[in-house]
Amino acid sequence: MTMVVDTSGLHSMMIRFCQCAGALSPDMQLFETGLFPASFTSPKTAFTFAVLDDFLLDNLECGTSAMNYYSKLRRITSSVFPHLVPDWYRELMRVGRQWRQVKQLKWHGFGHEKRKPKAGELALFCPACPQPGVNLSMSDRNGSDPAWLYSRSLVMDGNFKAEHLHPTNPTDEVALTDSLGFMVSDTRYKMHLSQAQDIVQRSDCNNHRAVNQANASRHRLEATGIGGCACARHGCFVPHSMVDFQKGERQMNMDYALCQALGYNTDSIDRALTFYDINCQYNKHLSKRIEDSPYLDLPWGMEIIPGIGLWHVHGHQDKCYVRCRQNRQRNHGDPVGALNIISPSARGMSTPHRKECLDFQMNDCNFMKMICISKFLCRKFKEAVQGVQDSRHAFDRLSETAEDDTLVKWEAEATAAEDDRLHNPSSMDIYEVQLTKAPTRKQQELHLLNRQAQWPAGEIHRGAATWLACGMTLEEVQVALLINVNKLGKRTTDNQKLAIARRRDRLQGQLDEFVRVAPTFLGNEFNSCNHLDSMTVMLDATELDSVGSSSEAPDRSDDEDQRDISVEFNPETVVIPLLSNISIERCTEWGVSDLVLQEISLREGQANDALHAVRVNLADKAVLFRTTVQSAKSQAQLTRAWARVHSVDRVLNLNTQIYAKCRKQLINLGADDLLMKYWLLEKADLKATTVVADPNARGQRNSTLAWFWSIDVEGDSTSNDWMNEFYHVHWLRTLALRNRWEEELLLVGREMTWTVAFFMHKSQQWVRQMQEADAKDIIGHRCYAARQAQMYLRLSQHAEDSFERTKGVAEVAE
């Protein structure tokens, strides 16, 4: 009797094998009937191809483990006595691995040839990225094309959920596809790690998790996560560039991943753009680390440019002029996050099995992005056409208000800054307001930390400045969350409820950690104090309406109390244990008076930050009125213009509320001297009037700006200096935005060409395989190759037709 496992359950069947002379072996006879034997010598169990395909699809889409899938099969077989169904779980897990390997070999053409695949050859890559010899011939490139057009753009990231436990029997492990997919070769990678120097650096980027995790060892884990590279434009994983972390996201791990990614299909490409959320830290000594390691190789002449903000990218972005455009496919904005679905079930697998599952998942992600790339690029092309039109219009309107000599000077500044930005990043400071500003909160915190070394021990609570700054940040998060909660109407959707619930959960965790550390600075008296428990948050709905833009005020109706967003906890109303929420007398009693002075200093910086944001957003709103709203020539342009104004209004309202909360806390701290400088904001002060947009306009001779416009300006400068500098910066940014959209339009057009060429290249590859199989009279191979060739040909034709229609519609719109 032979046990046959199918999607309909387990079946015990009598199978008689052919015993004729010249008959195939029993295992091959099972293969010919669509059954995969669990063993090859004397098969007693077999799995149908259908059940193996179903298992792999469930594993891809739902993250179903082999144990859960087999448990489902047992229940299908017998819903009443599933525990009596034979346990072939281990056989399913073993055969599933073999089936996965066979499918990959078949998909990538290795069933048609005898040679063994090389590193990364069992993996798909992005059809829209330039790949010399695949979708691009560097000898045919247009001489007038800019150099950046033929660059490999990569986003680097890590995933700390893809953990892996130490294997129980490492000597029994067998790798089926080591280094052939996306995970790197285990042997060479470990040799690199054994020789690379682990340099622990102090983070300069706000204690980013990637840097902190690099110093966090977890002895029970073989891998604390994975990291690697994906194409920055479309989120496709780069073959043979994913690595395991042993002690967090260390530079030695990402160095190896980057070098492997830059060596994949980059012949004649001499420039790479890298996006990494800790580029500021990572690129400091990158060249030296590559030179010092014999296992890190870059393509000859390859220039790595970190954090350049030319295009719209996917993944964690550099903050300068880069926008994220989400695709329909899952986790397109965070490619490595797509592996979260498989990570839990892969955590306890053997090391090779886990890598094979991750490879299969990444290959499927790339495949799904490949078949949807046409729709994605068409949408990006439409966005680019619209972006070029809008940015050109805005730029032309701004240029009309400036003199020709001024425009020539500003354009020269922009050109000089772009030419020098790689060697002198500070040259990009021209895109920020350059007037001397009052000290920010970060500057105040830095000043306090630097002074700690000069104070005798015992007279200052060391580290308190950073702790207080974190509390003030949480306070700002509370303000933002409470604003959003109060804006919700009575017909709240499930998505809105879920978004609020997630933000509350995240905030609650941060508050718990802050309160846990509080006794370190406030003393043991804090644990026995019930003073904060009886208080409510000092920013309620009444305060939210008291100041700010009327356009952003929440719509409060008689039915407001019917908002259905009730939860068991409201962390936005929790009082944070800052000194401003504790009486001055109690602070003196606890011996923490020095903390009061530190919080006052930080509050001054917070007030300066908020007022600076209010000024910039008021000026931005005024300019938007002049350059977009008043000049709109169609209803569509007017709608987009008002959307931009409302977006500015939201930021303006948030910073207004933060300032109001900060000023109230200064009152609680008894900072009377500062209150003489920081006045109460009135609604009349926050209107984007003509005097803000154009101080020299007719009828504005006797009009003046509000008090906060001159609070930052040194000496005898007038408040008009703010607007002159703002127009200067606004013009430069609008010029940069126009240039970036024009580059985006050019690049998307080339990506369309590369995509069609990629599909044609794949189709021609399979045509050659079909011809070879035909010559050898191998019918099955010929039919499969013909099917694959036709699939890629249809993808090519569909892409070309879609692109032509999209470009035609864009031309008509212009």
Coordinates of all heavy atoms in Angstrom, one line a residue, residues 339-366:
L339 N 9.4 40.3 3.9 CA 9.7 39.0 4.4 C 9.1 38.7 5.8 O 9.3 37.6 6.4 CB 11.3 38.9 4.5 CG 12.0 39.1 3.2 CD1 13.5 39.0 3.4 CD2 11.6 38.1 2.1
N340 N 8.4 39.7 6.3 CA 7.8 39.5 7.7 C 6.8 38.4 7.7 O 6.6 37.7 8.7 CB 7.1 40.8 8.1 CG 8.1 41.9 8.5 OD1 9.3 41.6 8.7 ND2 7.6 43.1 8.5
I341 N 6.1 38.1 6.5 CA 5.1 37.1 6.5 C 5.7 35.7 6.6 O 5.0 34.8 7.2 CB 4.3 37.2 5.1 CG1 3.0 36.4 5.2 CG2 5.2 36.8 4.0 CD1 2.1 36.6 4.0
I342 N 6.9 35.5 6.2 CA 7.5 34.2 6.3 C 8.5 34.0 7.5 O 8.8 32.9 7.9 CB 8.3 33.9 5.0 CG1 8.6 32.4 4.8 CG2 9.6 34.7 4.9 CD1 7.4 31.6 4.6
S343 N 8.9 35.1 8.1 CA 9.9 35.1 9.1 C 9.5 34.2 10.3 O 10.3 33.5 10.8 CB 10.2 36.5 9.6 OG 10.8 37.2 8.5
P344 N 8.2 34.3 10.9 CA 7.9 33.5 12.0 C 8.0 32.0 11.8 O 8.5 31.3 12.6 CB 6.4 33.9 12.3 CG 6.3 35.3 11.7 CD 7.1 35.3 10.5
S345 N 7.6 31.5 10.6 CA 7.6 30.1 10.4 C 9.0 29.6 10.0 O 9.4 28.5 10.2 CB 6.7 29.7 9.2 OG 7.1 30.4 8.0
A346 N 9.9 30.6 9.6 CA 11.3 30.2 9.3 C 12.2 30.3 10.5 O 13.4 29.9 10.4 CB 11.8 31.1 8.1
R347 N 11.7 30.8 11.6 CA 12.6 31.1 12.7 C 13.3 29.8 13.3 O 14.4 29.9 13.7 CB 11.8 31.7 13.8 CG 12.6 32.3 15.0 CD 11.6 33.2 15.9 NE 12.4 33.8 16.9 CZ 12.5 33.4 18.2 NH1 11.9 32.2 18.5 NH2 13.2 34.0 19.1
G348 N 12.6 28.7 13.3 CA 13.1 27.5 13.9 C 13.6 26.5 12.9 O 13.9 25.3 13.2
M349 N 13.6 26.8 11.6 CA 14.0 25.9 10.5 C 15.5 25.6 10.6 O 16.2 26.4 11.3 CB 13.6 26.4 9.2 CG 12.2 26.5 8.9 SD 11.9 27.2 7.2 CE 10.1 27.1 7.1
S350 N 16.0 24.6 9.9 CA 17.4 24.5 9.7 C 17.9 25.6 8.9 O 17.2 26.3 8.2 CB 17.7 23.2 9.0 OG 17.2 23.2 7.7
T351 N 19.2 25.9 9.0 CA 19.8 27.1 8.3 C 19.6 27.1 6.8 O 19.1 28.0 6.2 CB 21.3 27.2 8.7 OG1 21.4 27.3 10.1 CG2 21.9 28.4 8.0
P352 N 19.9 25.9 6.1 CA 19.6 25.9 4.7 C 18.2 26.1 4.3 O 17.8 26.8 3.3 CB 20.2 24.6 4.2 CG 21.1 24.1 5.3 CD 20.5 24.7 6.5
H353 N 17.3 25.4 5.1 CA 15.9 25.4 4.8 C 15.3 26.9 4.9 O 14.6 27.3 4.1 CB 15.1 24.5 5.7 CG 13.7 24.3 5.4 ND1 12.8 23.7 6.2 CD2 12.9 24.7 4.3 CE1 11.6 23.7 5.6 NE2 11.7 24.3 4.5
R354 N 15.8 27.6 5.9 CA 15.3 29.0 6.1 C 15.8 29.8 5.0 O 15.0 30.6 4.4 CB 15.9 29.5 7.4 CG 15.8 31.0 7.6 CD 16.4 31.4 8.9 NE 16.5 32.9 9.1 CZ 17.5 33.6 8.8 NH1 18.6 33.0 8.2 NH2 17.6 34.9 8.9
K355 N 17.0 29.7 4.5 CA 17.5 30.5 3.4 C 16.7 30.2 2.1 O 16.5 31.1 1.3 CB 19.0 30.2 3.2 CG 19.9 30.8 4.3 CD 21.4 30.7 4.0 CE 22.2 31.4 5.0 NZ 23.7 31.3 4.7
E356 N 16.4 28.9 1.9 CA 15.6 28.5 0.7 C 14.2 29.2 0.8 O 13.7 29.6 -0.3 CB 15.5 27.0 0.6 CG 16.9 26.3 0.3 CD 16.9 24.9 0.7 OE1 15.8 24.3 1.0 OE2 18.0 24.3 0.8
C357 N 13.6 29.2 1.9 CA 12.3 29.8 2.1 C 12.4 31.3 1.8 O 11.5 31.9 1.1 CB 11.7 29.6 3.5 SG 11.1 27.9 3.7
L358 N 13.4 32.0 2.4 CA 13.6 33.4 2.1 C 13.9 33.7 0.7 O 13.3 34.7 0.1 CB 14.7 33.9 3.0 CG 14.5 33.9 4.5 CD1 15.7 34.4 5.3 CD2 13.3 34.8 4.9
D359 N 14.7 32.9 0.0 CA 15.0 33.0 -1.4 C 13.7 32.9 -2.2 O 13.5 33.7 -3.1 CB 16.0 32.0 -1.9 CG 17.4 32.3 -1.5 OD1 17.7 33.5 -1.3 OD2 18.3 31.4 -1.5
F360 N 12.9 31.9 -1.9 CA 11.7 31.7 -2.6 C 10.7 32.9 -2.5 O 10.0 33.3 -3.4 CB 11.0 30.4 -2.2 CG 10.1 29.8 -3.2 CD1 10.6 29.2 -4.3 CD2 8.7 29.7 -2.9 CE1 9.7 28.7 -5.3 CE2 7.9 29.2 -3.8 CZ 8.4 28.6 -5.0
Q361 N 10.6 33.4 -1.2 CA 9.7 34.5 -1.0 C 10.2 35.8 -1.7 O 9.4 36.5 -2.3 CB 9.7 34.8 0.6 CG 8.7 35.9 1.0 CD 7.3 35.3 1.0 OE1 7.1 34.1 1.2 NE2 6.3 36.2 0.8
M362 N 11.5 36.0 -1.7 CA 12.0 37.2 -2.4 C 11.9 37.1 -3.9 O 11.6 38.1 -4.6 CB 13.5 37.4 -2.0 CG 13.7 38.0 -0.6 SD 15.4 38.3 -0.2 CE 16.0 36.7 0.4
N363 N 12.0 35.9 -4.4 CA 11.9 35.7 -5.9 C 10.4 35.9 -6.3 O 10.1 36.5 -7.3 CB 12.3 34.3 -6.2 CG 12.5 34.1 -7.7 OD1 13.4 34.7 -8.3 ND2 11.6 33.4 -8.4
D364 N 9.5 35.5 -5.4 CA 8.1 35.7 -5.7 C 7.7 37.2 -5.6 O 6.9 37.7 -6.4 CB 7.2 34.9 -4.7 CG 5.7 35.1 -4.9 OD1 5.3 34.5 -6.0 OD2 5.0 35.7 -4.1
C365 N 8.3 37.9 -4.7 CA 8.1 39.4 -4.6 C 8.6 40.0 -5.9 O 7.9 40.9 -6.4 CB 8.8 39.9 -3.4 SG 8.1 39.6 -1.8
N366 N 9.8 39.7 -6.3 CA 10.3 40.2 -7.6 C 9.4 39.9 -8.8 O 9.2 40.7 -9.7 CB 11.7 39.8 -7.8 CG 12.7 40.5 -7.0 OD1 12.3 41.3 -6.1 ND2 14.0 40.3 -7.2

